[in-house]
Amino acid sequence: MNLDVYVVTDRSLAAGRPLLWVVEESLAGGAGVIQLREKDISTREFVELALRLKEITSRYGARLIINDRVDVALAVGADGVHLGQEDMPLQTARKILGPVLIGVSVATVAEAAAAAAGGADYLGVSAVFSTPTKKVATTVGLEGLRAIRKAVNLPLVAIGGINRDNAAEVVRAGADGLAVVSAVMAAASPRLAVAELLEQVKTARAKRRGEG
Amino acid sequence: MNLDVYVVTDRSLAAGRPLLWVVEESLAGGAGVIQLREKDISTREFVELALRLKEITSRYGARLIINDRVDVALAVGADGVHLGQEDMPLQTARKILGPVLIGVSVATVAEAAAAAAGGADYLGVSAVFSTPTKKVATTVGLEGLRAIRKAVNLPLVAIGGINRDNAAEVVRAGADGLAVVSAVMAAASPRLAVAELLEQVKTARAKRRGEG
């Protein structure tokens, strides 16, 4: 799975542009994962939208991850689900889903260790920085990310306030990939925004390896 | 399955009383089905609440049906799900769920025929009358209920504005059971409210059979 640039959808940030367009642009720019996050639509609309995204992500060889809704993931044959701490418990989701990808949002070493022990496939470390799109009481920060990196061996996707200016330091702190919402959803060119982030990730990873 | 009195939950109508109490009172009064309907809680809270209800309904030999959320139904091993026309398509839900109960909300003969052809186990005919808890543009009415009764052989649960005063005529129009929200949720004694409705259903059904 290519987690380098992991795009989380938010239609409210797309400035009126169709979500399918933003998603396809992101994939053209090199995004390896699209996470579909929806809150205020009916299950039927969610399923229909997810089916459309599945078609596009498959065409680009990318993965489609559904946020929270295990039923929608099953309905469309998504590659996986992403679970927050307020979503379905990991073990329950695993029992229902079988061997698809399950990512879990974690903010602390304890949550990361629990998710790793529970069989998560990757972790979303959230929120690394504060972000205009989601009010967060506390942030994990680069220190927190480093601590989680030391504690678990799973792939880590960092999320929260990540953009091209801080991308390199986030990778150096141990992230395997960068999850972005507004930095891509609201970008004039989502394709360029993803391509730039991808470049940052690759350069920073090469440097990290060189130092390691 | 005993569909005679089918209680649909709505915590906002319970006047501050714990939902678990209202549910247990309903079961003590003779409700055969509890349909858990929740909109504004997290998936984790929904699962936890459904687990508690499953324990109570099992204890009373009643069925637990989850509204809309196939994932929650799978997570708690519920007896089934109820799908509105804006929820997951019936065939998709059947594929995911296997042989659990699936009820479908219908308002017209066409919707009823489609749900029957698609393999629904029972139908919720909605809304028979207008109701204070849910704004409806048009109601099915007793005429509509009779038309659906003639068109399909599945068990029919009538819902929408049903109370002890109109219960008998709804059964005479062809309903196998009465689904109620406010008539039980908001009742001073949910137990008595269910018992009274149950009595109405049984009497009306005996009369219908005598006439039939």
Side-chain angles (χ1 to χ4, degrees):
Chain A
M1 173 171 46
N2 167 14
L3 292 170
D4 291 0
V5 179
Y6 178 122
V7 173
V8 180
T9 70
D10 186 334
R11 285 191 288 172
S12 69
L13 298 173
R17 302 170 301 184
L19 182 62
L20 297 185
W21 178 83
V22 179
V23 164
E24 181 141 14
E25 281 286 294
S26 302
L27 293 165
V33 180
I34 303 293
Q35 181 185 314
L36 177 58
R37 186 165 67 179
E38 290 289 340
K39 286 293 175 196
D40 298 315
I41 59 175
S42 71
T43 299
R44 183 155 303 191
E45 289 172 304
F46 201 159
V47 167
E48 282 165 6
L49 184 58
L51 275 175
R52 289 210 187 92
L53 261 62
K54 185 80 186 81
E55 187 274 316
I56 304 175
T57 51
S58 299
R59 188 147 42 81
Y60 281 84
R63 308 293 184 107
L64 175 66
I65 301 287
I66 306 295
N67 187 59
D68 178 12
R69 295 289 297 268
V70 166
D71 50 351
V72 175
L74 286 168
V76 308
D79 299 294
V81 296
H82 189 83
L83 303 174
Q85 295 288 326
E86 289 306 307
D87 298 339
M88 188 180 289
L90 171 58
Q91 284 87 343
T92 311
R94 179 61 77 195
K95 214 179 290 175
I96 296 173
L97 286 164
V100 306
L101 297 168
I102 303 184
V104 175
S105 291
V106 301
T108 64
V109 167
E111 286 177 356
D121 295 296
Y122 68 94
L123 304 180
V125 179
S126 167
V128 175
F129 304 119
S130 66
T131 150
T133 66
K134 210 174 174 182
K135 293 266 175 281
V136 285
T138 56
T139 53
V140 175
L142 294 173
E143 271 314 303
L145 176 57
R146 275 186 214 106
I148 292 170
R149 172 73 296 163
K150 276 182 195 158
V152 298
N153 262 323
L154 292 175
L156 300 184
V157 181
I159 183 166
I162 289 167
N163 53 50
R164 61 184 171 183
D165 298 324
N166 57 31
E169 59 183 353
V170 172
V171 172
R172 283 199 301 268
D176 300 289
L178 304 180
V180 280
V181 192
S182 58
V184 167
M185 284 289 127
S189 168
R191 184 193 299 234
L192 276 180
V194 170
E196 281 179 4
L197 282 166
L198 194 54
E199 196 50 41
Q200 297 278 352
V201 172
K202 286 179 175 167
T203 308
R205 196 160 45 206
K207 248 187 212 173
R208 195 176 65 186
R209 279 182 189 143
E211 290 162 1
Chain B
M1 171 171 47
N2 168 15
L3 293 169
D4 292 359
V5 179
Y6 179 123
V7 174
V8 180
T9 69
D10 185 337
R11 283 191 290 172
S12 70
L13 298 174
R17 301 170 303 184
L19 182 62
L20 297 186
W21 178 83
V22 180
V23 164
E24 182 141 15
E25 281 285 295
S26 302
L27 293 165
V33 180
I34 302 292
Q35 181 186 313
L36 177 59
R37 186 164 68 178
E38 290 289 340
K39 286 292 176 196
D40 299 314
I41 58 175
S42 72
T43 298
R44 184 155 301 191
E45 289 172 305
F46 202 158
V47 168
E48 282 166 5
L49 184 56
L51 275 176
R52 290 207 186 95
L53 262 63
K54 185 79 187 79
E55 186 273 317
I56 305 177
T57 51
S58 300
R59 188 146 40 83
Y60 281 83
R63 308 293 184 107
L64 175 67
I65 301 287
I66 306 295
N67 188 60
D68 179 13
R69 295 290 297 268
V70 167
D71 51 351
V72 175
L74 287 169
V76 308
D79 299 294
V81 295
H82 189 84
L83 303 174
Q85 295 287 327
E86 289 307 308
D87 298 338
M88 189 181 287
L90 171 58
Q91 284 87 341
T92 311
R94 178 63 76 196
K95 213 177 291 174
I96 296 172
L97 285 164
V100 306
L101 297 167
I102 303 185
V104 175
S105 292
V106 302
T108 64
V109 166
E111 285 176 358
D121 295 296
Y122 70 94
L123 304 180
V125 180
S126 166
V128 175
F129 304 119
S130 67
T131 150
T133 65
K134 210 173 174 183
K135 295 266 174 278
V136 285
T138 56
T139 54
V140 175
L142 295 173
E143 271 316 304
L145 177 56
R146 276 187 212 103
I148 292 170
R149 172 73 297 163
K150 277 183 194 157
V152 298
N153 263 324
L154 291 177
L156 300 183
V157 181
I159 182 165
I162 290 167
N163 53 48
R164 60 182 174 185
D165 298 324
N166 57 30
E169 62 182 355
V170 173
V171 172
R172 283 199 300 270
D176 299 290
L178 305 180
V180 281
V181 192
S182 59
V184 167
M185 284 289 127
S189 168
R191 183 194 298 234
L192 276 179
V194 170
E196 281 180 5
L197 283 166
L198 194 54
E199 195 51 40
Q200 297 276 352
V201 172
K202 286 181 174 166
T203 308
R205 196 160 46 204
K207 251 188 208 169
R208 196 176 67 186
R209 278 184 190 143
E211 290 161 1

